[in-house]
Amino acid sequence: MPPPGFLQDRARRWTRQPAALPLGLGAVFLLAGLGWAPLLDWDENIYAEVARQIVRRGEWLALTINGQPFVEKPPLFLWELALSFRLLGVSEVAARLPSALNGLAFLALLLWLGRRLADGAVGWFWALLYLAALIPLAFARSAVIDHTFNALMGAAAFLLLLYDEAYGEWREGRRGPARHRALLTAAALSLGLAVLAKGPVGGVVPLVAFGAAKLVRRRPPISLPHVLACGALSLGIVAAWLGANALVAGDTFLRRFAEFQGLLVSRPLEDHTGPVYYHVAMGLLGFFPWSPLLLLYALKDVRRPLWAEPRSRTLIALALGWIAFVLAVFSAVQTKLPHYSSSMYLPLALLVALALGELLRRKAPVPRWIAGLFAAYGVALGAGVAAVPYLADRLARQAGIALDPPPAPGPLAYAPGVLLALGVALGGGWLAQGALRRAVVAGVVAMGLFMLGAWRVHLPLVAAYNQGPVLALMREAYAAGGDLALYRNVSFAVLFYGGREVEMLHSYKFRGNPARLDEPGLRDMYVITPRRDAPRLLREHPKLRPVRELGRLALYRLPARPR
């Protein structure tokens, strides 16, 4: 006979165990190997260089890059990077660590939110699905704003939903006011910090999502005093920084931030364009390997019980409202980039988590045709990933960016893709057998191992073609004791890895001085330009002399004036 309290202790252990697995997997797959690949142009090097300048100059309010004001993003995430640099030194690991730690903290929050909003199984599925989706996992391991930004928006939206429940319970006399006040305060803080991370959309998306939830859950009515209090606190956070920034730098940030946002909306910058369905396609690809599981909503036995239950109906409405708003807004924006719509992976993961939770409750398997699509998707993408290192030179030659000699793939360059294909295929088999938890863990482990492999194999390969030539030419110029300019070419890697300001000409990013290519200075001036722009460069600046070509780039030199 078991000793007294045995069943209670066992229940507590099972309550802890589901949380331990997602957090343990998250710690490994988010934190391991962050320094295995260089920071990639543009975004990682932009934010790392701004943070490096914060530490170097000691100026935390008026941010700069390349000697000019940085006005494209608010400062919250950049402050995190700068603090990491200050504590750990400037490195790839220190640049990527804040996003990874934020991702791990948000994983814990998802476990808690899922348990509060639905049940422990939904929270467990939700956390793991979001952890191991392709773009969220890649962004969480990168020195980019988006994973932190999306986490803050998610916290705001779902804390508002919990506040709404607690406020209704207080109005019915079933609970005191402390809980709904604390939740509203936490939601308001999250809203303000989301705006401080990337801009006004950080406040709009959670409010739209919460509004969609209120369309199906009318009770309790919205409290005007609570709306005003939430708005005052969240806007107060943003206003405090804007005011402090204005005292130091005037209206530069507000004015030029608005100009930059207008450019993004009105025309495709840097040729980042795409069809109107671009973000729909990115949603399906970026949610890999879980995208086929959205087809569970085609099953009446899944869809109807979830819509009939008030709490899951509210969550579905919030998720659909969030996704629809993001797709509508960013499909209209002319500049098309994957991270613009990356917040929708959080509600997509919630939808799949709810469906899997319903199947788990009924002890039902995933239909074989959906499980088969899941496995086939994994095998197809895994095979493509395995082939990329061996096809890179051929693809680069077709794109006109070939290197001589080309980067050689390592002896196990195929391994990340093979592990991905095998793991997802195994997960598909378990889905069809009804072993849902085991299937999800298999998919998570496959994605985690693939991502670690990508940091070892694929990202260094991307860097070799993307920024390898410009960094090689930069080092050549600096080794010769010269200065550097970029003509019709922008690279932030030369700023972060070179540690110097660089004249960048004919780019909306910087206000360069073309006259520096015409009048010799105290040192040689080296100029890097795309080979296709070399004839134009020589027409405009005939004193330049060719040095050599590398990949798609060419290096020229303006000799120093005689001493």
Side-chain angles (χ1 to χ4, degrees):
M1 184 174 179
F6 173 81
L7 294 178
Q8 291 88 338
D9 290 341
R10 185 179 179 187
R12 279 193 294 270
R13 283 199 301 273
W14 277 105
T15 300
R16 288 193 299 268
Q17 188 179 16
L21 182 62
L23 292 176
L25 292 173
V28 172
F29 295 140
L30 293 178
L31 300 176
L34 293 178
W36 288 348
L39 301 183
L40 297 181
D41 261 346
W42 282 6
D43 289 6
E44 284 195 303
N45 284 307
I46 291 175
Y47 305 139
E49 175 60 15
V50 173
R52 192 178 69 85
Q53 291 300 323
I54 292 174
V55 175
R56 186 184 72 83
R57 298 170 61 243
E59 175 56 70
W60 293 74
L61 293 175
L63 309 186
T64 62
I65 187 168
N66 205 28
Q68 300 183 25
F70 180 74
V71 297
E72 293 181 11
K73 300 292 185 293
L76 178 64
F77 184 73
L78 304 168
W79 288 341
E80 289 188 293
L81 263 63
L83 181 60
S84 181
F85 285 167
R86 194 159 190 173
L87 294 175
L88 304 175
V90 177
S91 69
E92 287 92 352
V93 172
R96 289 172 172 144
L97 188 61
S99 182
L101 291 176
N102 292 341
L104 191 58
F106 189 56
L107 195 66
L109 181 63
L110 286 182
L111 289 165
W112 181 80
L113 286 171
R115 187 171 68 250
R116 294 289 182 179
L117 291 166
D119 57 44
V122 169
W124 190 88
F125 282 129
W126 190 14
L128 283 174
L129 294 170
Y130 188 63
L131 164 68
L134 178 61
I135 284 184
L137 181 55
F139 281 178
R141 291 177 52 85
S142 303
V144 297
I145 296 173
D146 301 275
H147 200 72
T148 298
F149 176 58
N150 296 336
L152 288 168
M153 288 196 293
F158 293 104
L159 286 170
L160 282 173
L161 206 57
L162 284 177
Y163 145 78
D164 192 58
E165 284 188 359
Y167 176 57
E169 292 170 353
W170 173 74
R171 284 175 57 91
E172 296 168 1
R174 295 189 286 127
R175 188 188 290 272
R179 179 173 173 80
H180 75 257
R181 290 174 181 171
L183 288 167
L184 184 62
T185 300
L189 289 171
S190 299
L191 283 168
L193 293 175
V195 175
L196 202 58
K198 205 170 181 182
V201 72
V204 174
V205 170
L207 294 176
V208 168
F210 178 65
K214 290 298 289 179
L215 291 176
V216 300
R217 188 170 77 187
R218 302 298 181 89
R219 310 291 299 178
I222 293 175
S223 166
L224 181 59
H226 290 179
V227 171
L228 295 176
C230 180
L233 180 54
S234 57
L235 292 175
I237 293 171
V238 180
W241 174 73
L242 287 175
N245 175 268
L247 290 175
V248 174
D251 68 346
T252 300
F253 177 83
L254 271 178
R255 177 170 46 81
R256 293 182 58 187
F257 178 81
E259 291 172 0
F260 178 68
Q261 300 304 310
L263 287 175
L264 292 177
V265 172
S266 61
R267 62 187 176 92
L269 299 183
E270 297 98 39
D271 296 323
H272 293 307
T273 187
V276 69
Y277 56 83
Y278 173 89
H279 289 291
V280 175
M282 284 308 308
L284 297 176
L285 178 62
F287 195 47
F288 174 88
W290 317 116
S291 310
L293 299 183
L294 292 166
L295 293 169
L296 291 170
Y297 282 88
L299 309 175
K300 291 186 293 185
D301 291 343
V302 171
R303 184 178 67 249
R304 287 181 176 176
L306 287 174
W307 193 254
E309 202 281 315
R311 299 188 90 193
S312 60
R313 179 169 66 245
T314 302
L315 291 171
I316 291 171
L318 184 150
L320 293 178
W322 184 323
I323 295 165
F325 179 75
V326 167
L327 289 177
V329 169
F330 291 107
S331 293
V333 171
Q334 294 301 303
T335 303
K336 300 286 195 293
L337 285 166
H339 54 266
Y340 288 1
S341 58
S342 63
S343 71
M344 67 179 170
Y345 302 119
L346 183 59
L348 285 172
L350 175 59
L351 289 174
V352 174
L354 288 167
L356 291 177
E358 176 61 23
L359 291 179
L360 190 68
R361 185 186 65 80
R362 296 195 291 110
K363 298 181 180 179
V366 171
R368 289 185 179 276
W369 65 276
I370 296 179
L373 283 174
F374 178 85
Y377 193 21
V379 170
L381 199 59
V385 166
V388 163
Y390 306 96
L391 298 176
D393 180 51
R394 181 185 302 176
L395 297 173
R397 292 187 185 281
Q398 292 175 355
I401 57 172
L403 299 178
D404 189 19
L412 294 175
Y414 59 84
V418 171
L419 290 173
L420 178 63
L422 291 176
V424 177
L426 182 63
W430 276 329
L431 287 173
Q433 295 173 20
L436 304 183
R437 289 182 183 272
R438 196 180 303 168
V440 168
V441 170
V444 171
V445 171
M447 283 297 297
L449 293 175
F450 155 67
M451 199 61 68
L452 294 179
W455 248 250
R456 271 292 191 196
V457 176
H458 298 84
L459 265 65
L461 190 63
V462 170
Y465 287 103
N466 179 46
Q467 62 203 41
V470 73
L471 289 179
L473 296 176
M474 174 203 76
R475 294 185 182 105
E476 185 174 325
Y478 289 163
D483 292 327
L484 186 66
L486 270 61
Y487 176 87
R488 300 190 184 277
N489 183 39
V490 176
S491 170
F492 296 92
V494 300
L495 300 177
F496 181 73
Y497 287 103
R500 300 192 203 177
E501 293 180 8
V502 173
E503 195 75 58
M504 297 197 193
L505 305 174
H506 304 290
S507 165
Y508 76 92
K509 292 280 188 183
F510 298 104
R511 296 185 174 95
N513 179 17
R516 292 196 62 188
L517 306 191
D518 297 317
E519 297 299 327
L522 296 176
R523 293 191 295 269
D524 289 353
M525 172 63 80
Y526 288 84
V527 184
I528 300 173
T529 185
R531 286 188 299 172
R532 67 173 184 271
D533 292 314
R536 184 173 185 178
L537 170 67
L538 293 176
R539 285 197 304 271
E540 295 175 0
H541 308 285
K543 294 181 181 180
L544 294 174
R545 299 292 177 262
V547 178
R548 73 183 183 105
E549 296 180 347
L550 181 62
R552 66 179 186 85
L553 301 177
L555 181 66
Y556 290 82
R557 181 175 69 93
L558 176 67
R561 63 173 177 258
R563 297 187 179 181

